[in-house]
Amino acid sequence: MIEVFLDYQVKNKVSESKGAVLSLLGRGVEIVWKLGFYWASLVYDYAVGRDEEVVPYRARQLRNLLCDLGPSFIKAGQVLANRPDIIRADYMNELCILQDDVPPFPNEIAFRIIEEELGRPLETVFSRITSTTIAAASLGQVYKATLRETGEDVAIKVLRPGIEPIIYRDLFLFRTLASFLNGISLQKLGCNAELIVDEFGEKLLEELDYTLEARNIVDFLENFKDDPTVKIPRVYEKLSGSRVLVMEWIDGIRCTNPQAIKDSGIDINGFLTVGVSAALRQLLEFGLFHGDPHPGNIFAMRDGRIAYVDFGNVAVLSQQNKQILIDAVVHAVNEDYTEMANDFTRLGFLAKGTDVSPIVPALEAIWQNSAGKGLSDFNFRSVTAQFNELVYNYPIRIPERFSLVIRSLLTQEGICFTLKPDFKFLEVAYPYVAKRLLTDPNPALRERLIQVLFKDGVFQWKRLENLIVLAKDNVTKMSNAVQTNKTQTQSKLDLTDTIKDGARLFLVDAGIRRQLLLALTEDSKLHIQELLDVYRLLEADVDVPSVALEVVRDLPNVARDFVLSWSQSVLSDR
């Protein structure tokens, strides 16, 4: 459906006038000439047998060529930098250097666009506006200004003039070229090349409309409204439009300047915990994920919070995809690699019906090689590098939304490494996942907690202890990371709902009750010591009388559910 709409939309734009058609032809000749010459160079290298030795030079040449061809190609290069299913790793590494830093367009043009969107002169709205840009990118640039009415500092983002026809023209040419590559793409990736272009085009066109970005900001504000560790700038919707976006000014330190962050007195460990937890919340809780968190878009606030800007490019994950990702984490913990491979099919990495058996040993090798080193040596980049090899050797295609997720996680981990070279991803990620499994009231998460705690029908006491220790570690670090006068972060692990739900399940669900009773009596002994060990871990965090009161209050509901469950079982027996 997306590809049909985009094809129709793009064709209409590039054929709306004779001038547009001529511009399209001229641009097509330029692209074919420059890319054709580059392709001929690669063929020559292969013919003379020097294709491997000149890879660094050719990769650098490709990066420069994309910059020369303009915004659409820069964006395409950034996407390719995270698509191991399309290009090889050495080219990916070179394309990672691509930045959106481009020369700004003149102030008089930018200010005229702002006035057109406002419908009034600049000086009636702003008492001051910078004469130079704060940041310039391929699609727009940013100024700092002060609102005349309130004295508040704001950031004004202005879309580059004339950018829309260029993008539409290039997308049409991309799609035309992709139609010739469908056969190769179907063979290598299991999908046609036009679909890849359409996924890319959809995200790129969204970035051309700042009303969509304003909507994204509102959604992020809603998601993080109760999180004192994350700062999202509010948007001034009455002053914004499709070409201009006015946002709250973020007074923090950009992550492009890691030394300034270290010198500011900010707790680096706390800031990194806050950042990773915020990223995982976006991915596993909200399903709305910042798609371009490069160092210029992330700020360290002086009170330890993390702040995000630039929400034009976001990844949206469905509830089903979020649950499958959590399933994948659970399957990794349980070392169930066949189910992990099936998770890839469910997420769209593999075509439906693909035989996953050849992939299972490769997944097992990747995970055991990475996790086997322990938390202290694990990092997301090393796993991704090994996964890239898997993608290159098997018919795996990375959907665009997950390409954004991978790029986002890699970029944020890279920021973490600049602030702390010995940063360990899992040392932060595992405690967050543990806390979520133990405390999230979502019934699906409760189901996955049970899957983690039982392996081959045997209750994993040590795993429960580890989950509690990790979850408490996350709460402690988050509590210490941000302390402001206005609000305090949670300082204790709150398991009230978990214990209440556990009691409910024990009384209502005969299967769970049987499993728990077996857990307490397995190996022909009572596991009293294990229970005491768990209690000692929770003693300082759990208010037993309060929890007991909550359980008692819930007894009428539990009794009702028990009666319903019992009556259903009686009826089913008949």
Side-chain angles (χ1 to χ4, degrees):
M1 195 68 186
I2 290 171
E3 55 266 32
V4 174
F5 173 72
L6 281 176
D7 191 29
Y8 174 78
Q9 186 182 20
V10 170
K11 279 181 179 177
N12 272 358
K13 287 286 184 179
V14 298
S15 60
E16 60 186 4
S17 68
K18 186 177 179 180
V21 173
L22 290 174
S23 173
L24 177 67
L25 291 174
R27 179 64 166 170
V29 170
E30 179 192 10
I31 292 171
V32 169
W33 171 255
K34 290 183 176 180
L35 290 182
F37 184 79
Y38 179 76
W39 180 260
S41 301
L42 295 179
V43 172
Y44 175 78
D45 292 337
Y46 180 78
V48 299
R50 65 170 195 174
D51 49 316
E52 288 298 325
E53 64 185 78
V54 297
V55 160
Y57 170 74
R58 292 302 182 200
R60 190 163 56 252
Q61 189 180 26
L62 176 61
R63 174 172 58 85
N64 293 331
L65 174 60
L66 295 178
C67 288
D68 184 48
L69 285 170
S72 306
F73 285 83
I74 292 173
K75 288 290 184 184
Q78 292 172 341
V79 170
L80 288 174
N82 297 280
R83 295 303 298 258
D85 52 337
I86 299 177
I87 64 169
R88 48 190 283 173
D90 33 27
Y91 278 82
M92 284 171 51
N93 292 334
E94 184 64 34
L95 293 179
C96 281
I97 301 172
L98 279 174
Q99 297 293 327
D100 273 11
D101 243 355
V102 295
F105 57 92
N107 285 345
E108 55 268 24
I109 297 176
F111 293 164
R112 186 172 69 245
I113 293 172
I114 297 172
E115 289 184 333
E116 287 173 0
E117 288 291 316
L118 290 172
R120 45 189 160 154
L122 273 179
E123 57 271 17
T124 64
V125 180
F126 306 106
S127 59
R128 184 182 66 86
I129 186 168
T130 54
S131 57
T132 56
T133 57
I134 302 301
S138 56
L139 301 184
Q141 59 195 42
V142 180
Y143 295 88
K144 182 181 180 181
T146 304
L147 292 177
R148 182 171 294 280
E149 187 175 342
T150 63
E152 295 171 287
D153 288 333
V154 295
I156 308 174
K157 188 174 179 181
V158 189
L159 189 67
R160 190 172 287 272
I163 192 72
E164 190 175 282
I166 296 171
I167 298 296
Y168 275 105
R169 184 184 62 191
D170 286 350
L171 283 178
F172 178 84
L173 294 169
F174 285 168
R175 210 171 191 281
T176 302
L177 175 63
S179 66
F180 292 103
L181 301 175
N182 278 335
I184 298 173
S185 180
L186 281 167
Q187 182 182 1
K188 296 287 186 182
L189 306 175
C191 73
N192 63 49
E194 288 172 298
L195 176 60
I196 296 173
V197 171
D198 289 334
E199 288 178 340
F200 165 72
E202 182 190 17
K203 302 306 296 182
L204 186 54
L205 291 178
E206 286 177 2
E207 291 190 64
L208 297 180
D209 186 353
Y210 286 168
T211 59
L212 294 178
E213 182 171 352
R215 210 172 303 152
N216 290 338
I217 295 173
V218 171
D219 289 339
F220 270 82
L221 275 167
E222 176 64 22
N223 288 342
F224 284 108
K225 65 181 179 182
D226 297 322
D227 191 333
T229 68
V230 178
K231 172 65 179 176
I232 306 295
R234 71 180 183 277
V235 61
Y236 294 80
E237 295 183 71
K238 292 182 179 179
L239 302 178
S240 302
S242 61
R243 296 180 298 165
V244 173
L245 184 62
V246 181
M247 301 163 287
E248 176 185 2
W249 180 258
I250 296 296
D251 187 19
I253 307 170
R254 284 183 188 268
C255 287
T256 49
N257 192 352
Q259 192 56 49
I261 296 175
K262 294 174 184 177
D263 294 342
S264 68
I266 293 172
D267 175 16
I268 298 299
N269 287 329
F271 178 69
L272 295 181
T273 299
V274 163
V276 172
S277 296
L280 291 172
R281 289 198 74 193
Q282 293 171 51
L283 178 61
L284 299 177
E285 291 184 44
F286 308 140
L288 186 67
F289 200 85
H290 197 299
D292 191 22
H294 63 71
N297 286 341
I298 296 181
F299 292 78
M301 307 298 283
R302 286 171 177 80
D303 59 6
R305 290 178 295 168
I306 188 171
Y308 294 91
V309 299
D310 194 353
F311 297 87
N313 192 352
V314 300
V316 180
L317 299 179
S318 66
Q319 181 67 28
Q320 182 184 22
N321 280 334
K322 288 188 295 178
Q323 290 184 0
I324 296 171
L325 284 174
I326 294 170
D327 283 343
V329 173
V330 171
H331 293 145
V333 171
N334 288 344
E335 299 180 351
D336 190 342
Y337 303 107
T338 300
E339 283 304 315
M340 279 181 70
N342 289 329
D343 291 334
F344 279 105
T345 302
R346 294 163 66 201
L347 289 170
F349 284 72
L350 292 164
K352 289 183 179 178
T354 300
D355 179 16
V356 300
S357 56
I359 300 172
V360 172
L363 281 175
E364 183 175 357
I366 288 174
W367 184 254
Q368 290 189 346
N369 184 45
S370 301
K373 297 175 182 177
L375 293 182
S376 59
D377 295 313
F378 181 98
N379 68 75
F380 188 72
R381 187 169 295 277
S382 68
V383 173
T384 304
Q386 294 177 70
F387 180 70
N388 290 351
E389 295 179 16
L390 179 66
V391 168
Y392 196 73
N393 293 318
Y394 293 94
I396 295 174
R397 183 188 78 88
I398 302 177
E400 175 63 16
R401 60 187 176 278
F402 289 110
S403 173
L404 286 175
V405 167
I406 292 169
R407 180 175 72 180
S408 183
L409 289 173
L410 284 172
T411 303
Q412 291 184 75
E413 186 182 60
I415 294 171
C416 293
F417 282 139
T418 63
L419 291 171
K420 186 181 178 184
D422 60 345
F423 169 76
K424 311 301 176 188
F425 179 79
L426 279 191
E427 287 184 352
V428 178
Y430 259 22
Y432 163 79
V433 173
K435 185 182 78 170
R436 180 122 196 267
L437 282 171
L438 286 170
T439 61
D440 198 300
N442 187 326
L445 266 294
R446 291 282 188 259
E447 173 75 23
R448 282 150 185 82
L449 175 61
I450 292 169
Q451 291 176 29
V452 169
L453 293 179
F454 284 92
K455 184 178 181 181
D456 300 325
V458 178
F459 192 82
Q460 305 296 303
W461 289 99
K462 198 65 184 174
R463 191 173 285 174
L464 175 58
E465 290 179 30
N466 289 339
L467 282 175
I468 293 170
V469 170
L470 288 168
K472 289 178 68 173
D473 180 58
N474 177 267
V475 171
T476 300
K477 285 182 178 177
M478 294 287 283
S479 177
N480 293 337
V482 178
Q483 298 291 338
T484 66
N485 293 329
K486 292 182 180 179
T487 184
Q488 300 287 318
T489 55
Q490 180 185 351
S491 59
K492 288 187 177 182
L493 180 65
D494 186 2
L495 292 177
T496 303
D497 288 339
T498 307
I499 295 172
K500 186 172 70 174
D501 288 353
R504 172 193 290 269
L505 280 172
F506 182 82
L507 292 171
V508 173
D509 192 312
I512 293 294
R513 186 163 61 248
R514 190 179 304 111
Q515 281 184 302
L516 288 173
L517 289 173
L518 286 172
L520 286 169
T521 59
E522 65 190 6
D523 300 328
S524 301
K525 66 173 183 178
L526 285 173
H527 290 262
I528 302 300
Q529 186 58 50
E530 286 84 349
L531 272 176
L532 289 173
D533 290 341
V534 170
Y535 175 76
R536 289 191 190 100
L537 284 174
L538 296 172
E539 190 174 8
D541 294 88
V542 176
D543 185 347
V544 176
S546 297
V547 172
L549 182 61
E550 288 290 330
V551 171
V552 169
R553 284 175 178 169
D554 198 41
L555 277 177
N557 294 327
V558 173
R560 181 197 62 203
D561 292 343
F562 178 78
V563 170
L564 288 173
S565 175
W566 176 78
S567 60
Q568 285 175 359
S569 65
V570 170
L571 290 172
S572 63
D573 288 340
R574 293 185 178 183

